Amino acid sequence: MGRRLALLVATYEYQDAGLRSLTAPAHDAEALAGVLRDPDIAGFEVTTLINEPHYRVGEAIGDLFRDRRRDDLTLLYFTGHGLKDDEGHLHLAMGNTRRDNLAFTSLPAEQIDRAMTGCASRQQVLILDCCYSGAFPAGRLAKGDADMHTLERFRGRGRSVLTASDATQYSFEGDQVHGLAQQSVFTRHLVSGLRDGSADLDGDGDITLDELYAYVHDKVVEEMPQQRPKKQENVEGRIVIARNVNWQLPAHVRHALASPLAADRLGAIEGLADRHRIGNATVRQRVEEEMRRLLDDDSRSVSAAAERRLRTLAGAGEDPTSPTPVPPPQATAPALASAFPPEPQAPPAPSPAPDRVRWSAPTEASVHASLAVVNGSVHVGDNRGRVYAVEKATGRDRWCFDAGNPVHAVLAGPEGTVGVTAGPYFHLLDARTGAERWQFRVRQRVTALPETDGGSVYLANSNSLYALSLATGERSWTYCPRIAPFQWVAAAGGLVWTATARAVYGVNAATGKRKWRTAVPSPVSSRSALSEWFLYVGSGSGGLYAIDALTGQIRWRTSVGSGVSVAPVLADGLVCVCTDAGPVCGIDAVTGESRWVSAERIPTQSPPAVAGGTVYVGSADGHLYALSAETGALRWRLPTARPIQASPTVSDGVVYVADLGGRLYAVEHHGGM
């Protein structure tokens, strides 16, 4: 196993009076050094240089990249000022740097690039917490000079580059003025994600560079929308930066293990097996300990299942990736916070109908974005900014488009087009070839899934709703009431609906003028929740609203017993609602009365899909669930390699879903659709 070496460079005191002193860099380097040096977390050999002259830092960088082996992991971190020369070349400012003599008193980016290019290691990480250009708000000290240039300075095989901001932005220190900030926004989240393990997004016990970037990107943009971190890489395989020292079983598995119901504990065994399949050595050890504890369970069915699964984990027995039969429930799940009357005990669940995975295909990174099926292809975007078109029938690649930012959504557009949101950009692509027809950039980032209707595309950023021409990408109008960020967008029949955290808005699609406003706490909805000019809106307070889409009047409200964080979906007079507590609710679209509540508690972060009498739910526990749309009973569940965050989509009797491991599945279900 190769060595893990890190060089951290921080400069906050400058001889040049024109370079403003910063307080954050020393704290940044100390905090990052502590977490990287910790043998339980990252186990790096760490060297830290504070306020050193350029020649001392250059010598240390040369030593970092010299005489390395291919399997060594090298990490170079810099925090301080970034400057440019008259030709636009990037220079990192050191303590002795003079702006009138950058060539001989600073550290040129080209010099670092040459050192990295000559290094034999195929796992090189460069992290720059300096900034490039742009205005900054009062109360934030910006690191850097104006008009700085970016990632193109550091391209190379086996190399990953993370920057605190892009080519048109400043990197900000904390909220306090006059240099009193204790840590930069970027590095603070970098350190916290490693220290407490929150950057372990897929729960496998390892924190990869991809996960760390995705975590920090979202945290920074949430706190400082003006700042948008960037990543560029050219590596094979994944780079593991740290271990999640605070790893624990997912909440739904812990709750199932602690349940007094044997059926819940029996179901938890599959959750444990899933963690074992994707987890690192520490995770597998923890899982096996839990499984051995179940050998003494007072239920014979639980102890026997645990024994069989332990044999499987040891390399014998049944295939753990096959669809898992669901045991008959021994008791009905508790009623949802008195929202519905107690239901009679459910009959034993039937064995799963024959399901099969037609095919599965990998992408290059985790998939968080919605999927779209257009012109015989499934379109999926990953966290590295790539959009793939694969054949529905075979899973073979047709084309790949590089969006340059993590893909947030992929949607089917009219006339053979595919829409893609990635960072602050909306791209309209030709679904057949992948060629970009046009792109539109918002000021910060697209915060809501876009919507198309007729000849227009509607999308939103932090405080504006845009209408764009589908043909040209030109802006038709902007609705900018200067309120809280818009959360979602829906459009149909000359109206556009959107929402903030406090209210739903109806907007005239032709003029961009507001028609109505209806107060709803934490509303969530989508085009899939619109029918007969009623918009069905879930609420963070635990309510489902039926709103007249033309007037904004609330026709009825019903409680679903728990908050709703993902959009409801409507089909055949039924509103399907995934609750934060886990159960899925089926609500009559006309009366608001409950038709059913699922016995399964399914942790999900995306809306379900409904087709052919079946509700499909992608789950954070690493399963695709199929429920009866008539009764809510479980028909089958299929394990995936990693948790599912993107909504499934259904086309021609096949369910398409992608997991956080970057794998796309085509699942065929006989007899259930």
Side-chain angles (χ1 to χ4, degrees), residues 4 35-44 194 240-243 245:
R4 299 166 63 87
V35 73
L36 292 179
R37 188 179 287 117
D38 190 320
D40 294 328
I41 298 177
F44 277 84
L194 294 171
V240 177
I241 295 295
R243 291 179 290 272
V245 294

Side-chain angles (χ1 to χ4, degrees), residues 570-624:
L570 181 72
D572 298 326
L574 181 75
V575 186
C576 296
V577 184
C578 294
T579 66
D580 294 347
V584 181
C585 302
I587 307 297
D588 189 287
V590 176
T591 65
E593 296 178 353
S594 171
R595 291 188 186 177
W596 49 260
V597 180
S598 71
E600 281 66 37
R601 295 176 179 267
I602 305 174
T604 185
Q605 297 175 296
S606 58
V610 184
T614 302
V615 182
Y616 300 98
V617 186
S619 174
D621 67 8
H623 286 85
L624 174 65

Side-chain angles (χ1 to χ4, degrees), residues 75-404:
L75 186 152
L76 174 60
Y77 166 89
F78 171 78
T79 179
H81 278 304
L83 305 171
K84 66 157 189 173
D85 59 23
D86 292 339
E87 297 179 351
H89 297 156
L90 174 64
H91 296 255
L92 306 183
M94 302 297 137
N96 67 326
T97 295
R98 289 167 42 195
R99 288 178 299 161
D100 60 356
N101 192 9
L102 291 179
F104 296 100
T105 62
S106 70
L107 202 60
E110 288 86 352
Q111 187 175 337
I112 300 174
D113 178 73
R114 286 196 298 271
M116 299 179 75
T117 300
C119 179
S121 167
R122 285 301 172 257
Q123 295 188 97
Q124 303 174 28
V125 179
L126 173 63
I127 302 176
L128 299 178
D129 192 358
C130 61
C131 73
Y132 306 124
S133 75
F136 56 96
R140 301 262 178 175
L141 287 179
K143 302 174 185 175
D145 198 10
D147 300 325
M148 191 56 55
H149 292 263
T150 64
L151 295 173
E152 63 269 16
R153 302 297 181 194
F154 299 103
R155 295 186 182 273
R157 184 172 177 81
R159 188 180 308 174
S160 297
V161 184
L162 272 63
T163 64
S165 57
D166 71 8
T168 59
Q169 296 167 325
Y170 274 101
S171 168
F172 296 97
E173 293 192 274
D175 287 319
Q176 304 174 51
V177 298
H178 304 305
L180 301 180
Q182 294 303 303
Q183 199 171 48
S184 90
V185 177
F186 177 80
T187 298
R188 172 159 47 82
H189 291 302
L190 194 75
V191 171
S192 65
L194 294 171
R195 178 181 290 148
D196 61 25
S198 52
D200 179 15
L201 301 182
D202 61 6
D204 68 351
D206 288 331
I207 299 174
T208 65
L209 190 66
D210 282 344
E211 289 178 304
L212 184 60
Y213 168 72
Y215 171 84
V216 173
H217 178 279
D218 290 349
K219 290 292 186 180
V220 168
V221 171
E222 179 181 354
E223 183 173 340
M224 287 295 297
Q226 299 92 335
Q227 180 174 340
R228 182 165 52 87
K230 297 283 290 182
K231 177 166 72 75
Q232 159 189 293
E233 61 185 349
N234 183 10
V235 296
E236 297 180 359
R238 64 178 195 161
I239 297 178
V240 177
I241 295 295
R243 291 179 290 272
N244 179 1
V245 294
N246 293 312
W247 184 88
Q248 57 181 346
L249 286 169
H252 68 277
V253 177
R254 298 199 307 272
H255 295 159
L257 289 171
S259 172
L261 301 179
D264 288 347
R265 300 196 300 279
L266 197 59
I269 292 175
E270 292 308 314
L272 290 171
D274 291 339
R275 292 297 105 184
H276 191 279
R277 185 170 64 252
I278 70 171
N280 62 14
T282 301
V283 171
R284 294 195 296 272
Q285 180 181 351
R286 290 274 302 279
V287 166
E288 291 170 6
E289 291 172 356
E290 288 291 338
M291 205 80 79
R292 292 190 186 95
R293 188 178 62 80
L294 290 175
L295 294 176
D296 298 325
D297 194 276
D298 55 10
S299 167
R300 290 186 178 180
S301 63
V302 174
S303 60
E307 183 178 2
R308 288 194 301 270
R309 182 53 72 178
L310 275 172
R311 289 200 301 268
T312 300
L313 298 183
E318 61 188 76
D319 181 2
T321 64
S322 61
T324 306
V326 180
Q330 296 187 359
T332 304
L336 289 181
S338 72
F340 303 98
E343 298 191 15
Q345 180 165 324
S351 298
D355 328 314
R356 64 186 178 90
V357 176
R358 277 191 176 183
W359 51 260
S360 67
T363 67
E364 294 190 8
S366 59
V367 176
H368 302 256
S370 55
L371 312 179
V373 179
V374 183
N375 288 355
S377 294
V378 186
H379 299 82
V380 56
D382 67 22
N383 207 45
R384 290 187 180 179
R386 295 175 176 86
V387 181
Y388 304 86
V390 300
E391 293 181 355
K392 284 174 52 178
T394 64
R396 295 175 181 170
D397 289 345
R398 283 188 170 176
W399 51 257
C400 176
F401 172 79
D402 189 353

